[in-house]
Amino acid sequence: MTRARLSAVCVGLSTSGCAGVQSIAPSAGAHTSAFNSLFVVFLVVCGFFYLLVIGFLGAAILRRRRQGEDGVPALFRVWVGLVSLSLVGLALASWLTDRAMASYGDKGPPVRIRLTANQWWWDVEYLGANPSEAVRTANEVHLPIGRPTLIELQSNDVIHSFWVPNLAGKQDLIPGRTEDIALLPRKIGVFRGQCAEFCGAQHAHMALTVVVEPEAQFRSWWRQQQAEAPAPRTPEQLAGMTYVTTRECATCHAIAGTTASASVAPDLTHIASRKTIAAGTLPMSRGGLYAWIADPQGVKPGAHMPYIGLEARQLDAVVAYLETLK
Ligand code: CUA
């Protein structure tokens, strides 16, 4: 491969990550915009000084130093002044950006969410103004565009890290502590968040889907999530519900409106309305449900979802029921 072609490949590879559903550029939120602007300021100032230093170095190499010359104190003073001013400027820009990223402006009351990290999934609670508005879901967050969101971050076990690069910087979740992160989504779309702190065998399969949508669509999603699970309509769905709410599943999962109310695993009340299952590991589809329930340890080794060993008929019924939980 020629040197030119190799360079083109390197540039292509290094910039190919700069787009898409899990990327800081182009940003989809006010906080990443602030951060990206700071990045450009640092790049320009540091690039300028880098070129200046290289220029001076080149000049010094090319120019034979005259004997007896005792330096250039005036130029040196200018140099020190320039560097000091730039450092103060960069520190100020950093501080201002930090302040901007800690606030969410005055665009009305924020959507408040409590996000609890677990090995290896995200528990999502929408904290409404009153208990009847509260919503519990998992691994998927819906946000209205243009409205600030304040997320409380907690961990149930080890250190994880919240990172939705299109919307905000990283924030670690440390057991025993509550951290806050503010978001202000400015672009409609589906974005991918990813745990950004190594947290065990399935760290890579700990994704969070973030759906930014118009206010009206968000409201209707929120109302739908507040509802109890729909009742089964066929004998097979009823058999599935009976299994899920009285056997192994009910020791960990909850389904609002049924007797299943445990909270150590993802809430299943509206599982079929989500885009993925097992924290982004499989698509939410009939095939995904079959694969996950039949062999969770084959799909995500080490996950807390155990192998249950359902008979084919039971598996069909459980999947048929879960598919109705929109
Ligand atoms: Cu959780 Cu990595």
Side-chain angles (χ1 to χ4, degrees), residues 6 27 76 110 131-132 137 163-164 172 216 229 263-264 271 275 284 288 303 317:
L6 186 65
S27 81
F76 183 71
S132 68
T137 179
W163 191 35
V164 186
D172 280 1
S263 60
V264 296
I271 185 177
K275 297 188 184 309
M284 173 57 223

Side-chain angles (χ1 to χ4, degrees), residues 23-24 26-30 32-33 165-167 184-188 191 212:
S23 161
I24 60 162
S27 81
T32 34
S33 291
N166 297 74
L167 293 173
L184 183 55
R186 283 182 171 164
K187 201 187 243 181
I188 286 173
F191 305 103
V212 178

Side-chain angles (χ1 to χ4, degrees), residues 9 31 36 59 71 118 159 193 212 238 271 292 324:
V9 169
H31 297 85
N36 289 355
N118 297 270
I159 300 176
V212 178
L238 179 64
I271 185 177
W292 179 239
T324 68

Side-chain angles (χ1 to χ4, degrees), residues 51-303:
L51 292 176
L52 209 59
V53 167
I54 293 295
F56 276 131
L57 193 63
I61 290 169
L62 291 174
R63 179 168 164 249
R64 177 176 290 181
R65 196 165 185 278
R66 272 174 294 168
Q67 288 290 326
E69 190 186 29
D70 57 350
V72 276
L75 188 60
F76 183 71
R77 274 198 292 274
V78 172
W79 173 252
V80 169
L82 201 60
V83 169
S84 307
L85 262 179
S86 302
L87 285 177
V88 170
L90 289 179
L92 188 66
S94 240
W95 181 71
L96 289 173
T97 306
D98 203 43
R99 273 172 54 109
M101 290 184 76
S103 81
Y104 49 79
D106 52 357
K107 301 201 176 344
V111 176
R112 300 185 72 97
I113 299 173
R114 184 184 296 133
L115 201 59
T116 308
N118 297 270
Q119 283 176 315
W120 293 278
W121 62 283
W122 302 92
D123 192 12
V124 181
E125 292 167 90
Y126 281 73
L127 313 171
N130 57 63
S132 68
E133 286 183 333
V135 157
R136 188 161 210 166
T137 179
N139 303 321
E140 186 166 311
V141 170
H142 285 238
L143 304 175
I145 187 168
R147 274 263 302 279
T149 301
L150 198 59
I151 305 184
E152 259 179 46
L153 300 167
Q154 297 178 342
S155 169
N156 250 345
D157 36 47
V158 300
I159 300 176
H160 302 267
S161 185
F162 171 86
W163 191 35
V164 186
N166 297 74
L167 293 173
K170 290 177 191 165
Q171 178 65 59
D172 280 1
L173 294 86
I174 297 163
R177 285 177 60 168
T178 300
E179 305 288 346
D180 284 331
I181 193 164
L183 308 177
L184 183 55
R186 283 182 171 164
K187 201 187 243 181
I188 286 173
V190 179
F191 305 103
R192 188 177 189 276
Q194 168 64 41
C195 177
E197 178 71 42
F198 181 72
C199 55
Q202 293 299 331
H203 156 71
H205 287 145
M206 191 170 163
L208 178 73
T209 305
V210 180
V211 181
V212 178
E213 55 201 2
E215 178 84 30
Q217 216 170 311
F218 168 74
R219 291 253 151 221
S220 100
W221 173 84
W222 199 20
R223 269 196 303 275
Q224 177 211 358
Q225 299 290 313
Q226 284 165 24
E228 293 185 338
R233 279 170 303 178
T234 67
E236 188 182 42
Q237 291 168 8
L238 179 64
M241 184 183 105
T242 307
Y243 191 97
V244 170
T245 56
T246 57
R247 301 283 295 274
E248 298 89 341
C249 318
T251 54
C252 297
H253 296 281
I255 300 177
T258 74
T259 51
S261 59
S263 60
V264 296
D267 188 293
L268 302 179
T269 309
H270 297 287
I271 185 177
S273 73
R274 299 177 205 150
K275 297 188 184 309
T276 71
I277 46 180
T281 310
L282 292 169
M284 173 57 223
S285 63
R286 182 170 295 177
L289 285 171
Y290 269 103
W292 179 239
I293 298 165
D295 187 16
Q297 293 302 311
V299 172
K300 200 166 170 178

